[in-house]
Amino acid sequence: MSDVIHSDIRIRPPSVPSRMAASFARAGRKLAAEPLGLAGFLILGLLCLIAIFAPLLAPYDPVIQSLGDALQPPSLAHPAGTDEFGRDILSRLIFGTRITIQTVLSISLIVGPIGLLIGVVAGFFGGRIDALLMRATDIVLSFPSLILALAFAAALGAGLITAIIAISLTAWPPIARLARAEALVVRNADYVVAARLYGASPIRILLLYIAPMCIPSVIVRLTLNMAGIILTAASLGFLGLGAQPPAPEWGAMISNGRKFMLDYWWVAVMPGIAILLTSLAFNIAGDALRDILDPRHARS
C-alpha cells in the first residue's frame, strides 16, 4: 500500500507591495548617489509645486492686459519682461506650468495603461493576437509622431483636450513594444510556469504575474518620453492647435513672441527656456530611473 501525500501548495507571485517597498528603498539609496538624477527630480518636484500654488506665486494676473506696460524688458517689477499686451511673462510662465504638467500627466495616464495592456496581451498570448496587435503598432509607428498628432489635432479641432487626445493616439506604440518584450521574458519565468501547472487562468496570470513585472520598465519609458510629449504639445500650441488664447501655453507664447524676436527677445526666449529646462529635467530623471530600476543599464 502506498501512501499518497497531498500537499496544499499555493503558487503566488512575488508580493507586489513588499517588492515595491523594497524597490523604493533601494531607489532612494541609489538616487542619493546620483546628484544629477537627484537634481532632475528636485526640478520636477519644484515644477509640480509651482503648478499647484500658481495663484499664490504669480505676481500678476496672467490674462489681464496693460497696454501701457507692453514689451517692457526684464526688470525688478517684471523679472521676465512683458509681452505685446503688457502681460507679465513670469506670471504667464508660472500658470503655463499648470498646463504643461496637466498635459504630461494626462497623456501618461492614457498612454501607460493602453501600451501596457496591448504589449502584455501580445507578448503573453502570441500567435495571431501578437501578429495583429504588433502590425497595428507598426502602422502607427510608421508615421512621424508629430505629423500624425498634427493630423489628429486638425481633425478633432483646436484645444487642450484635443491636443492631449491627439498626442495620446500617437504615443502608445513604443510603450506597447517595450511591454511586449518584457512579457516575452516574464512569461517563461519559473513562477509563471508553476502557476500554469497549478491551474491559474490566463487572465489571472496576465494581470497578477506578468503585468506587474512590466510596470517598472513602462514607468521608465514614460518618463523618458515626457520630454518628447512636452515638445510635441508645444509644437501644437505653436501652430495654434493646443490650448487657445488667452491661456498661457508655452508653445503659443513662443509663437506670439516670434514677431518681436529681433527687438524684444525676452517675449519668445523666456518660454523657450522654460520648455528647455522642463524637458531636460524629465530626461535626467528618466535616465536616473533607468539606472535605478534596470541594472542592465547601470553606469560603469
Side-chain angles (χ1 to χ4, degrees):
M1 183 177 67
S2 60
D3 295 331
V4 179
I5 301 177
H6 296 279
S7 60
D8 185 14
I9 302 176
R10 297 183 180 275
I11 307 299
R12 300 177 183 272
S15 175
V16 175
S18 62
R19 287 176 62 89
M20 290 181 65
S23 297
F24 279 126
R26 289 194 301 270
R29 291 192 297 269
K30 291 182 179 179
L31 186 59
E34 294 196 21
L36 189 59
L38 182 60
F41 279 102
L42 290 177
I43 293 175
L44 294 181
L46 179 61
L47 290 173
C48 292
L49 292 176
I50 291 174
I52 293 171
F53 299 105
L56 300 177
L57 297 174
Y60 301 92
D61 191 299
V63 298
I64 292 181
Q65 301 179 9
S66 177
L67 296 180
D69 295 325
L71 299 173
Q72 294 293 318
S75 62
L76 292 178
H78 302 283
T82 61
D83 63 8
E84 70 273 24
F85 297 110
R87 297 173 296 194
D88 182 64
I89 293 179
L90 177 61
S91 299
R92 291 179 63 77
L93 291 177
I94 291 174
F95 275 88
T97 305
R98 278 188 165 185
I99 297 177
T100 300
I101 297 299
Q102 176 187 351
T103 301
V104 168
L105 291 181
S106 299
I107 293 173
S108 298
L109 291 176
I110 296 172
V111 168
I114 291 176
L116 177 65
L117 179 61
I118 292 175
V120 297
V121 168
F124 177 69
F125 289 105
R128 293 183 178 179
I129 295 178
D130 182 21
L132 178 63
L133 292 176
M134 287 301 101
R135 295 300 78 75
T137 302
D138 291 339
I139 291 173
V140 179
L141 281 174
S142 64
F143 295 93
S145 59
L146 178 57
I147 302 300
L148 196 57
L150 286 173
F152 282 126
L156 297 173
L160 181 60
I161 301 300
T162 55
I164 291 174
I165 295 173
I167 298 174
S168 299
L169 291 174
T170 64
W172 62 266
I175 306 298
R177 296 188 70 174
L178 175 64
R180 174 182 177 270
E182 293 285 338
L184 288 174
V185 175
V186 175
R187 73 176 184 177
N188 296 320
D190 292 341
Y191 68 88
V192 175
V193 175
R196 284 199 185 99
L197 295 176
Y198 182 69
S201 66
I203 299 299
R204 181 181 179 86
I205 294 175
L206 187 66
L207 297 180
L208 298 182
Y209 291 74
I210 294 180
M213 300 299 105
C214 301
I215 289 176
S217 297
V218 170
I219 292 176
V220 171
R221 184 57 186 262
L222 278 174
T223 307
L224 290 170
N225 284 357
M226 285 178 183
I229 290 173
I230 292 172
L231 294 176
T232 303
S235 299
L236 293 179
F238 184 88
L239 297 173
L241 297 175
Q244 296 301 293
E249 200 275 328
W250 292 347
M253 292 173 64
I254 295 177
S255 178
N256 294 333
R258 76 185 191 278
K259 297 175 291 186
F260 312 99
M261 190 67 184
L262 295 179
D263 298 321
Y264 310 101
W265 55 268
W266 57 88
V267 181
V269 169
M270 294 301 180
I273 292 175
I275 294 174
L276 172 63
L277 292 178
T278 306
S279 302
L280 182 61
F282 273 115
N283 273 329
I284 293 174
D287 286 338
L289 271 182
R290 181 179 59 188
D291 295 340
I292 290 170
L293 299 180
D294 191 350
R296 292 173 297 180
H297 292 92
R299 294 190 182 99
S300 58

